[in-house]
Structure formats: C-alpha cells, structure tokens
Amino acid sequence: MNVQLVVLFTYFVLALFIGFEVISKVPTILHTPLMSGSNAIHGVILVGALLLAASAQAPTEVVLGFVAVVLATTNVVGGFVVTDRMLAMFKGPRSGEEARREE
Amino acid sequence: MTIMTSLVYLLAAILFILGLKFLSSPRSARRGNWIAAVGMILAVGWTVVMLRGSFTLAGIIICLMGIVIGGVIGVIGARLLKMTAVPQMVALFNGAGGGAAALVAMAELLKLTDRHLAFPIGFPSVFAVAIGGISFAGSLIAFAKLQALIPGTPITYPGQQVVNGLLGLVILALAFFLLAMTSPAVGIIGLLALALVLGVTFVLPIGGADTPVVISLLNALTGLAVAASGFALNNFALIMAGTLVGASGTLLTRLMSNALGRSLGKILFGAFGQVRASTGAGAGVDTRPVRSGSADDIGTMLAYARSVIIVPGYGLAVAQGQHALRELADVLGKRGVEVSYAIHPVAGRMPGHMNVLLAEANVPYEQLKEMDEINSQFKQADVALVVGANDVVNPAARNSPGSPIYGMPILNVDQARTAVFLKRSTRPGFAGVENDLLYDPRTIILFGDARESLTRLAIVVKAA
C-alpha cells in the first residue's frame, strides 16, 4: 500500500457517496434519459483510450488502442446525442418542432 | 499528472456531478446533459493537449481515425434511429464503453513486467477486463433481444444458474492466478474470453420485459470498469466519472426494478425461467373465443362515451401510431369526451419511454397520468382503450401467483366498463404470458395495425 493508492481510494469512496446522493430523487419519466446520460459520462474512458493510443508502437498496442478509441468515442458521442434527442421531446410544443426541424 | 491536468480533471468532475444532478429534474434535464458534455470535452481536450509531446506517428493516426470513426458511428446511430429504438441504442453505446474499458485495462496489463506493481495496477486492471467484458457482451445480447434479433422470452436450460456461478468462479480464480504470472498474455485473453461468455449467459435467461433493468445494471458495471481502469492508469477523471456512474447507476437500477414491482434478485436470477413450466400447463388457451368488433362499432362507442382512458404500449410505438392516437384523442376531446392517458412506469420498453414518444406527438403533458394517479379512475371510465399494450394490463400479475409476471403492478383496465384492445393478434406480449383479459366478455378487440385502426376510429368519431 502506498500513499498514492490511498488517495485514489479516497476519491473512489467519495465519488460513490456523491453518485448515490446526486440522483436520489428522480421521477420515473426521467429514468431512461438519466440512464442514457450517465451512460455517456462513463465514455470518459476515451481519456484512458487516448493515453493508451497516443504512445502506441507495438502492433498489439496499435490495434488495442485503435479499437478502444473507436468504442469509447462511439460511447461518448452516441450517448450525449441520443440523450439530448430524448430530452428535446420533453419541452413544450414549440421546442419540439425545433427539434424536429433540426433533424 | 501536472497541476493543470489535475485542475482541469477536477473541473470536469464537477461538471459531471452537476450534469447528473440537473438530469434528475425534468426542467433542467436537457441542460444537465449539455453540462456533462462540456465536462467531457474539457477532459478529453485537455488530455490531447497534455499528450501533445508523446504522440507516436501511429498514435496520431489511430487517435484521429478512431475519433472520426467513433464519432460518425455515434452521431449516425443516435440521430437516425427511430425513437422506438432508443433502449437498444443505449445498450449498444454502453457495450462500447465496457469494451473500451476492457481493452484499455488489457493493454495496461500487457505492459506489466514488474510484479511489484501487481496490486496497484494489476488488480484493478484484471477487474476492469472482467467487468468490461461482461458489460460488452451482455449489452450486445440485450441489444439483440430488444431489436428482436433473438427472442425476447427468457432462454433457459437446466443448470443454468450453476453454469453461470461456475463461470464466475473460474473468472475469479483466473484473475488471481494472472496476478501471479510473469507473462500473462494468454491468461489475459482467456480472461476476456470467459468474461464475454459470462456476459452472454448472464443476460440470455433474463425476460424481455426486464431487459431495461439489466441495461441499467450493465451501465453501472461499465462505470465501475472505467473506474478500475482509472486506478490502473492513476487517472482522477476516470475514477471520479466511472465511480459516479457506478453508484448512480446501481441506485437507478434499484429504482427501475421497484417501478416494475420486482426485486432485482428475482429479475437477475431467472425467476422467469422457473415458473415457465407451470404456465405452460395452462397453454392451449389460444382456442378460446374472443369478441372482435369493427372500427364502426368501436368508434361509435368511443364517440358516445363520457370518459375514455387510453393505455398506450409498445405496439403503438412499433406502428408509429402516436400521431394518429393524438388525432383520435383530439376529435374525442372536441366532442366533450374526457380523455386521459394512463402511463405504466414501464410502458414501451423502458421507464419513461412512452412519455418521450407521446411528447413527440405533442400530446398535452397534463393528460398523461402516472399509474398510481389513474388506477382508481378506471372504475368510472366507460372505455379503456388499450393500444398495443399487453403485459402491463394483464390481470394475471394480480391474480395468478404461478405467473411469471405475478407481482408486477398493472393498470386496472379490467375494472373499466369496457376494455377495447387494438391489437394485431391475440399473441402474448413481450413477457410471453397469455392475457386472460382478452377473453373476457367485456373486452372487444379491433384487430389490425394500430396506426390504421386509430385513423379509422378517428374518421368514425368525426362522422358520429
């Protein structure tokens, strides 16, 4: 055990509590958008994929890095766009029309 | 990590937290999604800036190509899909994240040569490979179920739980063994392969109607896999965001299974599969007579009703009938018929799915009634108009303890004076359970495509 690990573990425990607290009261109609939004947030693995891919040299690293970047970007971009599309429908009729025109 | 990197990641983490907070309230939800997206752009953008000196040529190429390809897939997938297909797209995007987490951790493990790093790096990496792999494969199966590529009904075989349990134990054993090995490449690939198999066998037996809950659980698992990769990479942003999703996703999974009125354990560990046999004994019910009506009869009945409660279900979404439904409700409203919509928590394929679809058709928000609010009003309703719903109005959930859906809260359509079903056939719904209400003498069925039926009904009502 080193200090650094303990620090990381501290972040982890605090984040657990924040995660539980932050969505404790959420109406049923928002379950799906919330799931989709948090799904986009774990796309932050893109940061990890970039760290891996940036310095890739060996063929295995290149392949792993490339696939990881593709998957992670799909997760991030798809996740945020689909959540926004879902939530656009919840607004009043006018903004609903706007959302359709955008498409 | 430099101070600047730490500060940018901290800012990103704050934006993720605020994003989730805003996402859980209807008024601010859309802003919340954007706030989280800004946090993501910050975290990813700064990472690229930070890495600028260390890119290899191959690195630049794969990063650029990867982001372009992933971005195009993401935008096309999210933009072009029909709103009815939202749940399975969420499953796919989630699987992609899980896969990425597994691959990142795998690469990290392959770099490991110094065994002293086994605990701080090896342990979380092994965890991320296993959990990420399960999430990836499980999400693909959930996608296939919702997309009807494989049957939505539970796929079971004898000893399934035992096989899954053993698989889990083998994965655990292999994981610890890996930490002690000096050249773990083969072992790591084996671990990933086993995790993929477990992901498949874990989701296969779960009933179609429960799939959304499982997607939510897999979402939480991906979050934890991302957090574990963060431990391996010593990266604050990954730990923070991954754990946030892991924790909030777990809570959300519980909220969803509560909305279904079923315990998470029952959903996950094949209660569906076990009771299957007992309902199978009652099969052969298909031959019972049903009362079917014409659009003229039913339209007239609706036109002269005092109150009509509409129960929309997934069939409505499949037929893209939400606009036709609103038109029918409008003409009824003009005649002075009191119209409201009863929204079951899991109407559609996911909690809140039906609200999205009806909002898209500009149905007034105040006409949408949640289950607890409207269930007492069915007794006074002249007609309950069930459009493409089945399981959520099946009285077996209340009356027959042997039924796979027993205990699920349902809409009290059976208490309305008349129940009208718009259906293509008397086939059971997503859960694969026969609905006795269809054979009730007070029930009338209008067979056909939901959208066509609704349009015809609107014409009849207008003329009445």
Side-chain angles (χ1 to χ4, degrees), chain A residues 1-2 4-57 60-100 102-103, chain B residues 9 16-17 20-21 23-26 29-30 33-34 36-37 40 43-44 47-48 50-51 54-56 58-59 62-63 65-67 69-71 73-75 78-81 83 86 90 93-94 96-97 99-101 103-104 106-107 110-111 119-120 212 215-216 219 222-223 226 229 231 233-241 243-245 247-248 251-252 255-256 345 350-353 355-356 359-360 362 365 370:
Chain A
M1 290 290 257
N2 52 20
Q4 187 203 338
L5 190 64
V6 176
V7 172
L8 293 182
F9 192 68
T10 310
Y11 298 152
F12 173 72
V13 174
L14 292 179
L16 273 183
F17 277 95
I18 298 172
F20 275 118
E21 286 303 316
V22 83
I23 66 146
S24 51
K25 284 188 206 109
V26 47
T28 322
I29 58 162
L30 281 179
H31 282 178
T32 302
L34 182 62
M35 185 211 299
S36 179
S38 63
N39 174 41
I41 290 176
H42 68 49
V44 76
I45 188 63
L46 178 56
V47 167
L50 289 173
L51 288 173
L52 160 67
S55 56
Q57 263 169 332
T60 37
E61 282 176 354
V62 171
V63 173
L64 286 179
F66 175 66
V67 180
V69 172
V70 172
L71 289 177
T73 313
T74 308
N75 185 187
V76 170
V77 176
F80 281 120
V81 175
V82 82
T83 311
D84 188 60
R85 231 187 114 186
M86 254 187 258
L87 291 170
M89 314 252 163
F90 280 114
K91 297 253 188 112
R94 205 180 306 143
S95 49
E97 274 161 33
E98 276 166 29
R100 226 163 297 135
E102 273 172 36
E103 282 158 37
Chain B
Y9 283 173
F16 290 151
I17 295 169
L20 280 178
K21 182 87 203 158
L23 266 170
S24 33
S25 155
R30 199 171 179 194
N33 188 48
W34 277 105
M40 187 64 69
V44 172
T47 306
V48 174
M50 182 186 75
L51 285 170
S54 55
F55 274 105
T56 59
I62 57 175
C63 285
M65 271 177 58
I67 288 178
I69 294 173
I73 298 174
V75 169
R79 279 257 156 212
L80 291 189
L81 85 153
M83 281 318 278
V86 161
V90 174
F93 295 146
N94 176 57
L103 293 181
V104 169
M106 214 167 130
L110 290 171
K111 278 189 212 158
F119 188 67
I215 296 176
S216 176
N219 182 41
T222 305
V226 169
S229 315
F231 271 96
L233 293 168
N234 185 20
N235 186 297
F236 172 74
L238 294 192
I239 296 182
M240 198 65 194
T243 313
L244 271 179
V245 177
S248 61
L251 186 62
L252 187 59
L255 292 176
M256 280 189 180
M350 276 193 159
H353 194 191
N355 303 66
V356 173
E360 186 197 25
N362 294 330
Y365 191 73
E370 295 207 9

Side-chain angles (χ1 to χ4, degrees), chain B residues 1 38 42 48 61 66 141 145 164 171 185 192 208 247 251 269 273-274 297 318 328 343 383 417 425 461:
Chain B
M1 270 198 299
V38 170
L42 266 182
V48 174
I61 295 171
I141 296 297
K145 276 190 183 238
N164 284 358
I171 288 178
L192 183 65
L251 186 62
F269 300 111
Q274 285 158 16
D297 294 343
V318 172
L328 174 63
I343 310 293
V383 182
R417 221 147 292 149
S425 67
V461 171

Side-chain angles (χ1 to χ4, degrees), chain B residues 325-461:
Chain B
L325 178 62
R326 201 211 61 229
E327 275 156 33
L328 174 63
D330 283 352
V331 284
L332 284 172
K334 275 195 200 115
R335 293 182 59 96
V337 181
E338 195 190 312
V339 180
S340 47
Y341 297 79
I343 310 293
H344 191 274
V346 292
R349 283 287 155 85
M350 276 193 159
H353 194 191
M354 196 49 69
N355 303 66
V356 173
L357 292 170
L358 292 177
E360 186 197 25
N362 294 330
V363 170
Y365 191 73
E366 48 297 350
Q367 287 183 2
L368 303 182
K369 300 276 167 41
E370 295 207 9
M371 181 171 63
D372 296 337
E373 194 184 346
I374 197 139
N375 250 349
S376 57
Q377 293 171 28
F378 275 102
K379 280 194 196 98
Q380 284 97 44
D382 293 316
V383 182
L385 179 64
V386 184
V387 188
N390 196 347
D391 297 328
V392 297
V393 300
N394 190 343
R398 217 189 293 127
N399 306 331
S400 48
S403 170
I405 58 168
Y406 183 69
M408 181 173 90
I410 56 160
L411 291 163
N412 298 332
V413 168
D414 53 336
Q415 293 174 359
R417 221 147 292 149
T418 310
V420 173
F421 279 78
L422 304 190
K423 270 178 91 38
R424 275 173 306 183
S425 67
T426 55
R427 254 185 346 189
F430 204 37
V433 184
E434 233 5 277
N435 189 349
D436 281 339
L437 188 57
L438 292 175
Y439 307 98
D440 190 286
R442 279 181 306 164
T443 297
I444 309 174
I445 304 177
L446 174 55
F447 287 108
D449 176 75
R451 183 162 61 173
E452 281 168 28
S453 299
L454 287 166
T455 315
R456 273 158 57 208
L457 286 176
I459 294 168
V460 176
V461 171

Side-chain angles (χ1 to χ4, degrees), chain B residues 14 20 35 82 100-101 107 162 167 205 210 229 261 287 304 332 340 389:
Chain B
I14 291 171
L20 280 178
I35 291 172
K82 292 186 203 144
V162 180
L167 252 176
D210 291 330
S229 315
T287 52
Y304 291 98
L332 284 172
S340 47

Side-chain angles (χ1 to χ4, degrees), chain B residues 109 115 122-123 125-127 130 168-181 187 191 194:
Chain B
L109 272 177
R115 286 292 107 193
F123 181 74
S125 300
V126 167
F127 181 84
L169 283 179
V170 172
I171 288 178
L172 212 61
L174 182 59
F176 279 103
F177 186 59
L178 266 180
L179 292 178
M181 272 177 7
L191 181 70
L194 283 175

